[in-house]
Amino acid sequence: MRTQPHTFDVVGTGDVPTRTLVKVFALVFVPLLAVYLLIPNPGLHPKGDHADALTNAVTAWNLGMRGVVILDGFEAATAPEYFRNIGWFVDSPRGPVSQYPPGAAAFGAPFYRLAGDPTTPTLMTGTNNPDAEPLLLPMPSVRPGAVAASVAAAGAMGLIAAAVAGASASMWLGVGTGLVGGLATPMWTVAASALWQHGPGAFWVALGVFLASRRRYGWSGLAFAGAVMTRPHLAAIAAGLGLYDAWKERRLRPMAMIGGGTAAGLIGLLTFNYWLWGTLTVTGGYSPDFAENLSSFDLLGFAANVLGALVDPYVGILVISAFIVPLLLRIHPAWNGSPTWVRGAALGGVLYLLIQLKANRYSGGGGFVGYRYPLEPLVACAPLFGLAYPHWAHGDRVRRWAFWILVGAAVVIFFLWWG
């Protein structure tokens, strides 16, 4: 690994051979996928499947096996006493559906098609409303959804590894960044555990960032279109990439191409929601509370939410993934030596997280290990963090050991959490 800080002052040209980047991707994707699929996930809650991921899995089965998002047989599950109790199922003018955008389910649909398993009538009970009578529902297996999520999470880290390798001309710095991100953060315990939105969302963000690093701006925009179809406000990361590049490099073409592709995703989401709900809306089946929170002037509550996301003892980013702290201490020289796409992606990631924390509580609920809302922002910031490591570790064995001890501690925390 190259460890001299000055080696990062002329990076980001995209001249690293493609075959090298493919090798870096494989060195991260293959072992991470093996870990995700073969080792029991320490983030899986012993009480069963999380309602969020279960909702996406049901829609993914219907998309993969029937080609529709309408969930026949789930009419009773949309009643108020079952909402959030079994899953996030809501009634639309066309029938029962998931409240979520279609992106995560669309990512999982091919895996359900390949599995080809039928649904099983299952008596479903919930924990949020124990007084509600159990419902008999046609439930698919959650396993194909978990495989899809694992592929997405491992793929995201592999792409980030390739992007870092391209920016630093160091294959092993890229591999290290990808493996740390994949094992020492809730990319393992949340994103890869089940078909949350976070796995597919992280994948599309990572693909968009990687393609931008290779100057494939049009394709980058289309990758962010997939991100918008999964979590609409991921458009903030695309905005950071395009706008920062336009400002620093005094050029409009990359911004226009990234923005055009991202806009296609937004148009696709609006079209889907208009077909489903009969009105032009970005939020679709979501509660209006999120939009109201976003527009409110409760700045003290917002500040408290941000602080909690950072240092809460159970879900704080700087607590659960404490190895980020030394990287932040050397973020300034890394920033100065980084290409514009690294800085733009990081700015977009911070913007996305602030939007998320303004709209919703920082905890993200319960029933999982670590944090979840910061996952996509961390993917966007990962290239900058990766480039900060040599500045932290250069010429100091104690610093290197301290960093890797913190990485190991993060992994251990995940394994011991439910004990």
Side-chain angles (χ1 to χ4, degrees):
M1 178 185 298
R2 298 186 181 183
T3 57
Q4 297 181 2
H6 70 269
T7 59
F8 299 99
D9 291 339
V10 288
V11 296
T13 61
D15 294 330
V16 175
T18 300
R19 64 179 179 275
T20 300
L21 300 185
V22 171
K23 183 177 181 180
V24 170
F25 176 87
L27 286 171
V28 172
F29 176 80
V30 173
L32 282 184
L33 187 61
V35 168
Y36 294 163
L37 295 180
L38 300 178
I39 297 178
N41 190 307
L44 289 176
H45 197 288
K47 291 184 179 180
D49 305 308
H50 199 283
D52 296 36
L54 185 65
T55 304
N56 286 324
V58 171
T59 308
W61 184 92
N62 277 270
L63 266 176
M65 299 301 292
R66 299 175 56 235
V68 297
V69 297
I70 309 303
L71 310 178
D72 291 346
F74 281 78
E75 290 78 7
T78 65
E81 62 268 29
Y82 294 108
F83 182 67
R84 197 171 67 94
N85 194 35
I86 294 174
W88 296 89
F89 304 110
V90 294
D91 191 27
S92 78
R94 293 182 179 272
V97 294
S98 161
Q99 74 163 6
Y100 295 120
F107 193 98
F111 293 84
Y112 277 96
R113 184 67 181 182
L114 287 172
D117 296 331
T119 58
T120 302
T122 306
L123 199 62
M124 300 295 296
T125 59
T127 57
N128 292 315
N129 183 12
D131 295 329
E133 293 291 329
L135 282 181
L136 190 66
L137 298 172
M139 300 301 298
S141 167
V142 298
R143 183 59 178 168
V147 173
S150 296
V151 169
M157 291 297 95
L159 289 164
I160 289 300
V164 171
S168 64
S170 170
M171 187 175 81
W172 296 113
L173 182 61
V175 171
T177 301
L179 291 178
V180 169
L183 295 174
T185 75
M187 284 298 293
W188 181 8
T189 57
V190 175
S193 69
L195 195 57
W196 298 81
Q197 292 171 286
H198 303 295
F203 174 83
W204 293 120
V205 168
L207 182 59
V209 170
F210 171 74
L211 290 168
S213 77
R214 304 299 289 175
R215 303 175 184 154
R216 303 296 191 266
Y217 301 113
W219 290 109
S220 175
L222 291 178
F224 279 110
V228 169
M229 293 289 287
T230 305
R231 291 179 75 81
H233 47 312
L234 287 173
I237 300 176
L241 265 172
L243 292 174
Y244 186 80
D245 183 90
W247 176 50
K248 294 297 290 186
E249 303 296 333
R250 302 295 190 269
R251 55 183 183 176
L252 296 178
R253 180 174 173 270
M255 180 187 71
M257 297 185 74
I258 293 174
T262 306
L266 179 60
I267 292 171
L269 181 62
L270 289 170
T271 302
F272 172 82
N273 283 338
Y274 184 81
W275 169 81
L276 186 59
W277 300 100
T279 183
L280 285 175
T281 173
V282 174
T283 55
Y286 271 105
S287 165
D289 293 346
F290 301 125
E292 293 171 4
N293 292 340
L294 194 60
S295 61
S296 77
F297 290 95
D298 181 14
L299 299 183
L300 287 178
F302 174 49
N305 219 30
V306 172
L307 185 64
L310 294 175
V311 299
D312 182 276
Y314 294 100
V315 297
I317 308 169
L318 303 183
V319 177
I320 305 300
S321 300
F323 64 87
I324 293 175
V325 174
L327 301 179
L328 288 174
L329 294 176
R330 302 303 295 160
I331 210 72
H332 184 259
W335 177 275
N336 289 338
S338 297
T340 55
W341 65 265
V342 171
R343 287 175 270 172
L347 287 174
V350 172
L351 175 60
Y352 168 88
L353 184 57
L354 292 175
I355 293 172
Q356 178 67 54
L357 294 177
K358 187 67 172 66
N360 204 352
R361 56 182 177 170
Y362 71 86
S363 69
F368 54 90
V369 171
Y371 49 83
R372 66 185 184 93
Y373 291 146
L375 285 174
E376 292 93 336
L378 281 181
V379 168
C381 294
L384 184 60
F385 287 143
L387 297 181
Y389 172 76
H391 294 279
W392 167 261
H394 175 61
D396 193 320
R397 183 176 297 179
V398 174
R399 286 186 176 185
R400 286 197 296 272
W401 274 104
F403 176 82
W404 291 107
I405 287 172
L406 291 175
V407 169
V411 178
V412 170
I413 285 173
F414 295 145
F415 274 109
L416 299 181
W417 195 281
W418 293 117

